[in-house]
């Protein structure tokens, strides 16, 4: 997602599915390490949650709007509201727990 489509895809999404957004940058080592895990989760949760990535260098306005000061930062939105948030290279089980909580 980008600054231009973030509200439409995440905040105003007509779907009742939770949305996981991975705020990252290509120069961030922990972000690159987390990328395959995010891809796996996107496949595993297909149809139950939407998973997006936002490059903070290409789209700096949205991270600023949510007060993101460190990357990677993962935020789970539901009905346009933040329901879970984590910073750093967290493990897959932590991320799936965030999504499962939002699905409950």
């Amino acid at each position: 997602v980008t600054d231009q489509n973030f509200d439409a895809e995440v905040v105003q999404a007509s779907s009742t599915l939770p949305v996981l957004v991975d705020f990252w940058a290509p120069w961030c080592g922990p972000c690159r390490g987390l990328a395959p895990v995010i891809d796996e989760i996107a496949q595993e949760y297909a149809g139950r949650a939407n998973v997006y990535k936002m490059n903070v260098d290409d789209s700096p306005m949205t991270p600023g709007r949510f007060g993101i000061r460190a990357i990677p930062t993962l935020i789970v939105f539901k009905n346009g509201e933040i329901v879970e948030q984590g910073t750093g290279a967290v493990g897959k089980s932590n991320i799936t727990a965030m999504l499962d909580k939002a699905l409950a």
Side-chain angles (χ1 to χ4, degrees):
V1 289
T2 65
D3 282 338
Q4 290 72 32
N5 69 5
F6 186 85
D7 282 345
E9 295 291 332
V10 178
V11 178
Q12 301 161 350
S14 58
S15 165
T16 57
L17 299 177
V19 179
L20 170 66
V21 181
D22 173 18
F23 293 88
W24 73 286
W27 48 262
C28 166
C31 299
R32 288 194 316 271
L34 191 60
V37 175
I38 298 297
D39 293 342
E40 269 181 48
I41 289 170
Q43 289 179 350
E44 289 173 18
Y45 282 79
R48 296 189 297 147
N50 292 321
V51 178
Y52 299 119
K53 295 181 181 190
M54 175 174 271
N55 182 327
V56 299
D57 290 339
D58 293 344
S59 297
M61 291 172 53
T62 303
R65 191 168 125 197
F66 291 101
I68 294 170
R69 305 219 184 293
I71 55 172
T73 291
L74 303 171
I75 300 180
V76 177
F77 294 85
K78 188 163 187 184
N79 300 319
E81 301 290 323
I82 295 173
V83 293
E84 292 288 322
Q85 185 168 343
T87 301
V90 297
K92 182 177 179 180
S93 61
N94 297 69
I95 302 166
T96 57
M98 290 168 58
L99 279 170
D100 291 343
K101 186 174 177 184
L103 285 164

